Amino acid sequence: MSPTTYGLGLFFILFPPRVTCAEFHQSPSLTVKERDHVEVHCSHNDNSLVVMLWYQQKQASPAMTLIGYGYSAQEPNYEGLFAERFQLKRADTLTGSLVISNMTSADSAVYFCAASHTVGGASQAYFGGGTRLTVRESGLLVTPPTVKVLPPSTKECEDRNKKKKKTLVCVATDFYPDHVTVFWRLNGGANITDGVGTDNTALRGNKLYSITSRLRVPAKKWNKASNRFTCTVRFFNGTTDIYVADHINGEEGQGGDGGITTEYYVRSTKTAKLAYSIFIAKSTFYGLVVMALIWKFQRSSDKQM
C-alpha cells in the first residue's frame, strides 16, 4: 500500500464517515450465486466531489477496507488483491459503479461508496448507506423467516425509576440469507422507535439465521386488551422485499388505561354482592346470639327474684 492510500485509510479510521450535505444513492441489497458477477451502482449530487472511493466491510469486522479510488477522467487505483477481480467504473463525476467478477462466498459483505474533493490530507469524505451483498452458498435456498412474538414475563421487575415496564420479544428464525430488518408497530400505526432493541446482526446456526428484537412498553399500555403489538420482519429474497409479521394483544389488568371493562365490572359486582351477603348473614347470626344471651340472662334474673 502506498503512503498516500495508507494515510487515506488511517484518516477514515480516525474520523468515522458522516454525510452532512451530499445525497447518495446506492444499489439495494443484492443476492447472487457463486461464480456470478455483480455491479453495484452509486450516485451523488455534488459536482465538487470529484474522487469516488469504494470500501468493503465484512460482517465479522467493524473496520472498512479500502478497495480503490479514482477521478472521473483517470484510471482508478486499487488496493492489493482487489485489482484481480474488482473493477471501478466512472460514467461521470456524479455516477460510478463497482463490478465484482467470479464471486465467492468470501465476497459477502457490505460495500460502501464514498466521495471526496481530493485524495488524502484533511479532505472530508461523504458516504452512501452501503449495499449488503450476499453470495449464496451452494445447496442453500433462499428461505424467508418464521416470526413469533412472545409475551412479557409475569415476574418482570420494575425499573430503577419505579416505572413499571413490560418487555415483548420478537423472534425471527430459520431464514437465509441475512437480509432482514425488524420493526414494531402499535395498532397499525407508525413504526415504534422508543424502547426498541434489536440484535446488531443475525446469528447463524445450522446454516440458517435468526434474530431477536425486544420492545419495552409501559405496563399501562400492555394492560389494555385492545392494544395490538405487531412485529414485522422485512426480508429481501434477492428480487423483492417480503414482509412476515406476527402480533400479540395486551392483557387487561390493573393499571390499564382502558378504563373498567364490562367483564371486570361484572366480576367486581359479584364479588361485592357475595361479600355483602356474607356480612349480612354474619350480622344476623351474631344478633340472634346476643338476643339469646340477653333472654337467658333475664330468665336467670327472674328466677333469683
Side-chain angles (χ1 to χ4, degrees), residues 34 135-140 176 207:
E34 290 185 328
V135 182
R136 205 167 69 230
E137 299 174 27
S138 178
L140 288 179
Y176 180 85
K207 296 184 179 181

Side-chain angles (χ1 to χ4, degrees), residues 11-71:
F11 171 79
F12 290 119
I13 293 174
L14 296 178
F15 302 96
R18 295 183 301 169
V19 177
T20 56
C21 60
E23 181 179 342
F24 278 77
H25 296 281
Q26 282 194 230
S27 299
S29 298
L30 298 172
T31 302
V32 298
K33 296 182 297 184
E34 290 185 328
R35 307 306 174 189
D36 280 353
H37 80 278
V38 70
E39 185 167 356
V40 183
H41 297 279
C42 174
S43 64
H44 60 82
N45 62 348
D46 191 339
N47 277 301
S48 67
L49 301 175
V50 294
V51 181
M52 183 169 285
L53 313 94
W54 286 90
Y55 285 82
Q56 180 191 69
Q57 183 182 40
K58 294 293 187 69
Q59 182 174 348
S61 173
M64 290 188 292
T65 303
L66 178 64
I67 297 171
Y69 65 94
Y71 293 84

Side-chain angles (χ1 to χ4, degrees), residues 73-247:
Q74 299 179 6
E75 287 295 316
N77 296 275
Y78 298 94
E79 297 296 310
L81 298 177
F82 285 114
E84 296 181 1
R85 294 186 298 108
F86 289 68
Q87 180 185 6
L88 304 186
K89 293 182 177 181
R90 289 291 293 278
D92 49 46
T93 302
L94 300 179
T95 59
S97 61
L98 169 67
V99 180
I100 311 173
S101 59
N102 197 24
M103 301 191 67
T104 69
S105 58
D107 296 323
S108 294
V110 180
Y111 291 87
F112 290 93
C113 168
S116 179
H117 296 95
T118 60
V119 177
S123 179
Q124 183 175 0
Y126 301 89
F127 276 68
T131 298
R132 178 176 290 279
L133 173 64
T134 294
V135 182
R136 205 167 69 230
E137 299 174 27
S138 178
L140 288 179
L141 301 177
V142 174
T143 307
T146 299
V147 180
K148 181 66 177 177
V149 178
L150 305 178
S153 168
T154 56
K155 298 181 180 179
E156 188 167 13
C157 301
E158 298 180 6
D159 58 18
R160 292 181 179 179
N161 59 5
K162 301 301 180 182
K163 292 183 179 179
K164 293 182 179 180
K165 296 279 188 177
K166 295 293 183 180
T167 304
L168 287 69
V169 179
C170 178
V171 183
T173 57
D174 298 333
F175 57 89
Y176 180 85
D178 60 336
H179 294 197
V180 293
T181 304
V182 184
F183 51 91
W184 291 85
R185 287 178 178 171
L186 173 60
N187 298 328
N191 292 351
I192 301 173
T193 56
D194 188 28
V196 175
T198 303
D199 296 343
N200 293 328
T201 58
L203 300 178
R204 192 170 191 182
N206 194 26
K207 296 184 179 181
L208 301 180
Y209 289 93
S210 64
I211 194 170
T212 61
S213 180
R214 295 151 296 282
L215 172 64
R216 281 178 58 80
V217 297
K220 67 178 183 179
K221 284 190 176 181
W222 171 251
N223 293 331
K224 184 178 180 181
S226 60
N227 276 341
R228 171 175 287 196
F229 302 89
T230 303
C231 174
T232 302
V233 179
R234 182 175 61 203
F235 172 77
F236 182 69
N237 66 1
T239 305
T240 186
D241 288 326
I242 296 175
Y243 294 84
V244 184
D246 188 35
H247 71 271

